[in-house]
Amino acid sequence: MSTPTAATAIRWERGDDGIVTLVLDDPAQSANTMNAAFIASLTAVADRLEAERDSVRGVVITSAKKTFFAGGDLKDMIKIGPGDAQRAYDTSMEVKRGLRRIETLGRPVVAAINGAALGGGFEIALACHHRVALDAPGSRIGCPEVTLGLLPAGGGVARTVRLLGVADALLTVLLEGRQYAPRRALEAGLVHEVADSPEDMLAKARAFIDAHPESRQPWDVKGYKIPGGTPAHPKFAAELPAYPANLRKQLGGAPYPAPRNILAAAVEGAQVDFETAQIIEARYFVDLVTGQTAKNMIQAFFFDLQAVNSGASRPDGIAPRQVRKVGVLGAGMMGAGIAYSCAKAGIDVVLKDVSAEAAAKGKAYSEGLLAKALAKGRTTEVQRDELLARITPTADPGDLAGCDAVIEAVFEDPALKHKVFQEIEGIVAPDAVLCSNTSTLPITLLAEGVQRPGDFIGLHFFSPVDKMPLVEIIKGERTGDEALARAFDLVRQIRKTPIVVNDSRGFFTSRVISHFMNEGVALVGEGVEPASVEQAAAQAGYPAKVLALMDELTLTLPRKIREETRRAVEEAGGTWRPHPADAVIDRMVDEFGRPGRSGGAGFYTYDEATGRRAGLWPGLREHFTKPDVAVPFEDMKERMLFSEALDTVRLLEEGVLTSVADANIGSILGIGFPGWTGGVLQYINGYEGGLPGFVARARELQTRYGDRFAPPELLLDKASKGETFTD
Ligand code: NAD
């Protein structure tokens, strides 16, 4: 029954009942993508369907792969430069034409979505008259293009706008790029039916065909009105100006072109006929795909993330192992969050603190999170009870018997950390991996306190642990490959993203983020209006305000770290160079008694009753701001970005970092480096003029603001050889 078409990414199967099943099954790949073979196949099946139309009763589109369809071919897309605009436009139009021909065949077409249908996959389904999604575990449906700096260019904007209305399409599908589980997709109106089994899915598809011999899309029926009205409608026209304003507010002025283009394509496309809407969509897509931001975001959120999670930094040849029982030492803020994340992943947790009460308080944190999740319908009572049953709070080290991993999160004190490891070393499994969540202490130093330093490793979580996706794994000088592999596997087991670095003061993340904060504080010291400093961070794309972040961290902490670093540098015979931020921090703490949020006052004032941030401290203007200071706004933004990027290059030089992907992903997921850059090293690669352009600008900043902007040797070397930062 199976007849291959001219090109083979889509298999043509015709049943005796006149129903043609188009099976998406690219033989050259593990997942179907919108590559050249697919596009050729699409045109070929459209030709054949039109030729055999009279004998075709209906069409089912499904896939032979685990996923329905993976979307655009990103390997190809990342290479599309400004000179390829016409080719990109033509390709996009070819896909649209193919789908449109099937959509307007005059026969019912059903998408039997047997697995994930994201981006291009969902767009194929959208061109069908009926969508049945199999309720497969982990299956997701939606248009996540915006998260890669793109827009859905296979008719996704034009069709979702017509299906849901402009406002809903923008909010639920296009601007956030949300990925829906099949049942949620049904609630959101993205699919028509959910099936419990593949057989049920195909039966539902056939039933639709039987009942609708001449299906058409709602938007192809004369007199069809877009839900919620077109933008020409007076009510809509009145609301319209709020859209760009809201978007600006959401983006904080950060340079993300995709949301703006999506908004424009949706609104403009809703005012014209379907074919013109498709042309508009293609034009806005080409603008994005030929630009730098999409390349940065595809590099980071697809290729780098995949490399990092799939174990590029995990040692080879060590069999993966799952942790069954983990001991968490310290049930404070971090320990409680770590216990929750482990239990959520199905691991039994022994949560130990100095007293049964303190340990129980740590467990209560999970209870609180689960109560909220339950209220929002994100968990069930059964799941909640199962998760809580996995956490055993205790003050007795003996309860850690049999643990195959230990994560320590007691106070930041080396002697205490040594003590708590000594207490449990003889009790846990003899080969248990021993992890410390220290944020500042050298792993090599902490490893001196245990009998098996080869099994000792840093596992640096971020706060709040349940939300933050990254864990920084730190190899001490004596950490063995087995411990590294097991720490890596544990991080993946709890569904977080691991990056791996070598031991060094502040590791990668804490050291690099300190430059961002120092630049913000230094600008205040130079006399820049504090509100402009916060504005510059937002416009550079940072998710947090820089002075607010400094307050959260507490101003006394960088002072302590600074003193320790100064001592270490001087003991090693080096010259200590103070940062211009130091003097501002000292004045804030010593002269004004404003140590940050935990002390009730910092760069911001805090509401006494609620503890909430009230506003920038007016004293900042009085004591620091100068009327005649003129630091260009562009310099403010780039001082923050450059100071982090330049120090990351130094970390590569020093061998603390060994992977570009780890640096890019760690910077975005761990310390809020702006996502539009593709990460801290991709920012350098993608800078205007490439590495030489970046070097020239660094020199300019060095001349104006000091030697901390001097380009490191490694950067100069790569720039002169025409290289970029890649693994
Ligand atoms: P915390 O003060 O909230 O909690 C520390 C806990 O350790 C307390 O509950 C304390 O009772 C307990 N403890 C003390 N002695 C103990 C002992 N002998 N046995 C068992 N428990 C004992 O501190 P935290 O913020 O959770 O930080 C813990 C560690 O994590 C520190 O090393 C810190 O540097 C690191 N860290 C913190 C953050 C953060 O954002 N707070 C981020 C990353 C890493």
Side-chain angles (χ1 to χ4, degrees), residues 328-338 351-355 358-359 361-362 394-395 408-413 416-417 419-420 423 436-441 446 459-465 507 510 553 557:
V328 178
L329 304 177
M333 187 170 88
M334 297 303 288
I338 294 167
L351 181 57
K352 186 202 168 284
D353 209 295
V354 284
S355 66
K361 199 169 153 221
T394 186
E408 168 277 315
V410 299
F411 301 132
E412 191 74 335
D413 168 4
L416 176 66
K417 289 188 191 277
K419 182 176 153 268
V420 297
E423 233 169 49
S436 173
N437 179 46
T438 177
S439 42
T440 56
L441 300 168
L446 293 181
L459 218 50
H460 183 203
F461 288 82
F462 295 78
S463 174
V465 179
F507 319 130
S510 307
L553 193 78
L557 187 65

Side-chain angles (χ1 to χ4, degrees), residues 68-359:
F68 177 70
F69 196 92
D73 185 349
L74 297 172
K75 279 200 282 305
D76 184 34
M77 270 190 205
I78 202 166
K79 292 190 212 123
I80 299 174
D84 304 315
Q86 189 60 45
R87 181 171 70 88
Y89 176 82
D90 292 345
T91 308
S92 162
M93 289 309 293
E94 205 178 333
V95 172
K96 290 172 196 290
R97 258 194 309 274
L99 292 175
R100 187 75 180 134
R101 285 170 69 194
I102 297 173
E103 180 177 45
T104 55
L105 189 69
R107 292 286 179 267
V109 184
V110 185
I113 308 171
N114 56 301
L118 293 167
F122 184 47
E123 293 184 285
I124 294 172
L126 276 168
C128 299
H129 308 121
H130 197 69
R131 288 174 285 285
V132 187
L134 175 65
D135 194 11
S139 183
R140 292 289 179 271
I141 292 165
C143 290
E145 281 87 344
V146 68
T147 60
L148 298 176
L150 296 170
L151 65 72
V157 178
R159 288 195 179 89
T160 51
V161 159
R162 280 161 178 76
L163 182 71
L164 304 169
V166 179
D168 272 8
L170 285 170
L171 292 178
T172 60
V173 183
L174 299 171
L175 285 180
E176 226 184 279
R178 234 172 49 217
Q179 303 184 10
Y180 293 83
R183 294 204 179 273
R184 299 256 178 205
L186 181 68
E187 285 163 25
L190 305 184
V191 300
H192 301 93
E193 289 184 274
V194 170
D196 295 323
S197 66
E199 298 73 38
D200 182 31
M201 175 180 72
L202 293 177
K204 286 187 157 101
R206 277 161 199 275
F208 178 85
I209 290 171
D210 289 343
H212 301 83
E214 281 185 26
S215 242
R216 274 190 294 172
Q217 293 284 29
W219 43 89
D220 289 325
V221 177
K222 205 168 180 304
Y224 178 73
K225 291 219 167 37
I226 290 180
T230 67
H233 191 279
K235 181 171 169 289
F236 198 109
E239 286 169 8
L240 204 53
Y243 277 74
N246 286 343
L247 200 60
R248 258 200 309 279
K249 209 166 137 202
Q250 267 170 30
L251 299 175
Y256 288 96
R260 277 187 275 270
N261 282 21
I262 289 172
L263 176 63
V267 172
E268 290 171 28
Q271 304 180 63
V272 292
D273 63 83
F274 189 84
E275 314 306 334
T276 316
Q278 297 232 71
I279 293 171
I280 291 172
E281 182 184 295
R283 293 219 168 108
Y284 279 112
F285 167 73
V286 170
D287 177 55
L288 294 174
V289 80
T290 54
Q292 186 59 43
T293 306
K295 288 177 184 50
N296 292 342
M297 293 177 77
I298 293 170
Q299 180 62 39
F301 296 108
F302 190 78
F303 292 108
D304 285 350
L305 194 58
Q306 209 171 50
V308 167
N309 279 331
S310 65
S313 290
R314 183 190 185 278
D316 291 332
I318 298 172
R321 253 170 80 174
Q322 296 270 296
V323 168
R324 277 166 300 119
K325 184 176 175 189
V326 65
V328 178
L329 304 177
M333 187 170 88
M334 297 303 288
I338 294 167
Y340 172 79
S341 295
C342 291
K344 192 168 176 220
I347 304 174
D348 287 330
V349 182
V350 181
L351 181 57
K352 186 202 168 284
D353 209 295
V354 284
S355 66
E357 294 72 45

Side-chain angles (χ1 to χ4, degrees), residues 559-631:
R559 278 222 309 187
K560 188 168 158 261
I561 295 170
R562 185 214 307 166
E563 274 317 297
E564 284 167 8
T565 316
R566 184 180 60 77
R567 225 174 300 130
V569 168
E570 286 174 356
E571 272 167 21
T575 314
W576 168 250
R577 288 193 185 81
H579 193 282
D582 297 349
V584 180
I585 291 174
D586 289 344
R587 280 189 78 190
M588 288 295 288
V589 177
D590 300 333
E591 193 176 330
F592 308 122
R594 305 186 70 88
R597 181 176 195 155
S598 58
F603 288 105
Y604 281 79
T605 55
Y606 294 88
D607 185 283
E608 255 180 59
T610 62
R612 287 219 187 94
R613 203 162 65 214
L616 279 158
W617 177 45
L620 287 179
R621 299 194 67 196
E622 190 185 318
H623 297 288
F624 294 101
T625 308
K626 297 180 191 139
D628 54 348
V629 68
V631 180

